[in-house]
Amino acid sequence: MTAVQDDRPGEVDFGRRVLVLRPAPAVSARISVRPLLVTVILVLAALAIGVLALGTGEFSLGPAQVIEALSGEGTRAARLVVVEWRLPRVLLALIIGVALGLAGAVFQALTRNPLGSPDIIGFNVGAYTGVLIVTVVAGNGYYAVAGGALAGGLATAVLVYLFAFQRGVQGFRLIIVGIAISAMLASANEWFLTKVDLQAAYSASMWGQGSLNGLGWAQVTPASVAVGALCVALILYGPRLALLEMGEDAAAALGVRVERVRLSYLIIGVALTAVATATAGPISFVALAAPQLAQRLTRTPGIALVPSAAMGAFLLMLSDWIAQRAFAPTQLPVGVVTVSVGGLYFVWLLMRQARR
């Protein structure tokens, strides 16, 4: 159901499946109802799992007690457990899930291929390489690791872009080149781990699994600021990503500077991946699955950014809760869960693409 409201107040027409709002003659917004509903449901589901995660553990709390603790009420022990110990992990799961969902949406739209995600193209592995180098040279401080992840991801992106460039960049060629470079970097990472001292190798290997264990408020602020700034950058670029998804010729005919805009989106996507990787390590398959699942639920003709972000937050929040509770009190790295679930999705996607 939709509502169409013109400049005259009070006139509303219900009928079509698109909601058009015109609060002023110079302002117009067109909102498709189904993607909006799907996004709202995904956000509510992610928040519900977050409340469940805040209340489960050795110190169990009901949903009402969790909400009381979040509002500053309840017992001192409940506030300590919920706000100081568990809330940062929940917020990071949501923030990193949004970052991975957006990164996957950007790359799948650029390549016009459901396999076009940072973990398939190799940017995750490149960010990991940067972190390994920085860990040995400068230690494992958060900002040093973040800088190494960003530098490694951008360096990998430049290599992939240069090798894939041939009178422009085709999506399929970008994926093939990315897979090749990812394989070489993965081998280099394994060799690199054998050359560092045992403690550094152990820390890097544990971080390489992708985990939210042990993270706190010190990581929430920089991650949220970085992801928020990159989301603003995506908003400022407006509908150019959807135009690129229509094809280079169509985008150029509509006034888009194709290579310049594609490179800008590539940098934003790599930065989103680097923020997630620097915070929690390389978490696979969320960026691959979130845009495709969101597209199937919303039934949009192309990749939609906001539903993909909501799906990414939901998937990572659910995966992290499973990682915490599946073998409690032992907590698994969330990357183990996403790889296990995502591997099945990847096989299904490959079979579906082969049939097509």
Side-chain angles (χ1 to χ4, degrees):
M1 180 176 294
T2 65
V4 179
Q5 180 177 347
D6 63 10
D7 298 335
R8 293 169 293 180
E11 293 193 9
V12 179
D13 175 33
F14 292 91
R16 289 173 297 171
R17 301 188 64 184
V18 173
L19 177 64
V20 180
L21 303 176
R22 295 187 181 91
V27 179
S28 178
R30 189 177 182 88
I31 304 172
S32 187
V33 174
R34 184 181 179 92
L36 177 62
L37 290 177
V38 169
T39 301
V40 170
I41 292 172
L42 288 172
V43 170
L44 292 177
L47 292 177
I49 297 172
V51 171
L52 182 62
L54 290 173
T56 54
E58 294 184 7
F59 189 84
S60 298
L61 296 167
Q65 293 174 299
V66 170
I67 294 174
E68 287 180 355
L70 292 174
S71 62
E73 301 177 359
T75 65
R76 182 178 179 180
R79 293 197 301 271
L80 176 64
V81 170
V82 171
V83 178
E84 296 298 329
W85 294 353
R86 296 176 181 171
L87 183 58
R89 179 168 183 157
V90 169
L91 292 178
L92 284 171
L94 297 174
I95 294 168
I96 295 172
V98 167
L100 292 175
L102 287 174
V106 167
F107 287 117
Q108 289 182 20
L110 288 178
T111 59
R112 290 186 289 166
N113 193 308
L115 296 179
S117 71
D119 40 354
I120 299 299
I121 298 176
F123 300 144
N124 272 0
V125 181
Y128 186 26
T129 304
V131 169
L132 286 175
I133 295 173
V134 168
T135 300
V136 174
V137 174
N140 58 354
Y142 176 78
Y143 291 102
V145 169
L150 181 59
L154 287 176
T156 305
V158 170
L159 283 176
V160 172
Y161 191 86
L162 290 177
F163 280 110
F165 189 88
Q166 185 178 355
R167 289 179 297 179
V169 175
Q170 299 297 324
F172 184 73
R173 188 163 60 242
L174 189 73
I175 293 173
I176 296 300
V177 172
I179 291 174
I181 291 180
S182 174
M184 290 187 290
L185 287 176
S187 299
N189 291 345
E190 294 297 327
W191 176 85
F192 194 76
L193 286 174
T194 65
K195 297 300 180 180
V196 299
D197 63 86
L198 183 60
Q199 183 61 39
Y202 177 77
S203 300
S205 297
M206 291 300 296
W207 181 88
Q209 297 295 316
S211 176
L212 298 175
N213 299 338
L215 301 182
W217 286 108
Q219 290 80 30
V220 172
T221 300
S224 59
V225 170
V227 173
L230 292 170
C231 289
V232 171
L234 285 175
I235 293 173
L236 292 178
Y237 267 89
R240 291 183 179 89
L241 188 62
L243 296 179
L244 286 177
E245 199 173 0
M246 295 169 57
E248 293 184 7
D249 294 337
L254 293 171
V256 177
R257 297 181 178 179
V258 175
E259 290 303 325
R260 179 179 177 181
V261 172
R262 180 191 281 124
L263 184 59
S264 299
Y265 276 118
L266 187 67
I267 292 173
I268 293 173
V270 170
L272 286 166
T273 305
V275 171
T277 304
T279 304
I283 299 175
S284 301
F285 289 107
V286 174
L288 174 70
Q292 292 299 310
L293 294 176
Q295 185 180 18
R296 281 165 174 75
L297 289 177
T298 58
R299 298 179 184 173
T300 54
I303 300 296
L305 291 177
V306 177
S308 298
M311 179 61 77
F314 168 74
L315 289 177
L316 192 56
M317 188 71 255
L318 178 61
S319 298
D320 189 52
W321 181 76
I322 294 173
Q324 293 182 66
R325 306 313 309 164
F327 298 98
T330 302
Q331 295 187 4
L332 298 175
V334 67
V336 174
V337 177
T338 59
V339 167
S340 300
V341 176
L344 298 175
Y345 170 80
F346 190 45
V347 171
W348 172 82
L349 184 61
L350 286 176
M351 293 175 61
R352 184 173 182 271
Q353 289 295 107
R355 286 197 298 267
R356 293 178 58 183

